[in-house]
Amino acid sequence: MDFSVDGFTIVEEIYSEKEIAAIEYAIDRANSDRSTFRKTAGLFAIRQFLKEIPAVAPLIFTGRLKNLITTCFGNDYFVVKSIYFDKPELSNWFVAWHQDLTISVDKKLDISGYGPWTVKHEQFAVQPPLEILADNFTIRIHLDDADEGNGALKVVPGSHLRGICRPDTIDWDSQTAVSCDVKAGGVMVMRPLLMHASGRTTNSKPRKVIHIEFSRAKLADGLSWSESQSF
């Protein structure tokens, strides 16, 4: 699999069972009363995950993960966003085809090339210039086995090379979706412009994922990443 061509890759056995258990223990101990924690019958999510649970950072950024990042992308990248998703056994929600087109920033400013803007859970988000999105990457850390039965991510290989495009422009006669099955302890690496989706849970198995976005871009003057941190 060629990451530059396909826009994604899967690397297994980044974390051991013991390391996964330590991460889950740190999450379970966290105070979930804050607004960045969202818990319903069908979803448990923590936004600004690394900021909310700083004790989990050294458990996540192990030597193996750091080596993967530097080998693939060099030393210039830093964390710009992190979310924890827990899709319970009976969850029936799905995510439609989309690209990840926004970044999290500290404030809203009228700047050429940045927009449209949104505010979600007291967090400013904006679509930045295309070159920033094209250069960013995401690592999805799997704490459970994931396949189509419990909503593993589906992607359209190579779709990140088309820039920003609408899901309804996908030509399914020539394009094929791929299910990104990942074992617990493995990671999926992807470009945010890769078209992706996920289905409902049908096999009564959980799917817990830590989603971390990375960039090396300097934003326009006056604007800062809201979750920027080194690792």
Side-chain angles (χ1 to χ4, degrees), residues 30-38 45-46 49 51-54:
N31 177 8
S32 61
D33 294 334
R34 295 186 293 277
S35 61
T36 49
F37 287 68
R38 179 186 172 198
I46 306 172
F49 175 63
K51 290 177 67 175
E52 291 291 352
I53 313 179

Side-chain angles (χ1 to χ4, degrees), residues 88-90 149-150 201-206:
E89 292 90 334
L90 301 180
N150 61 345
T201 297
T202 59
N203 62 6
S204 298
K205 293 182 179 179

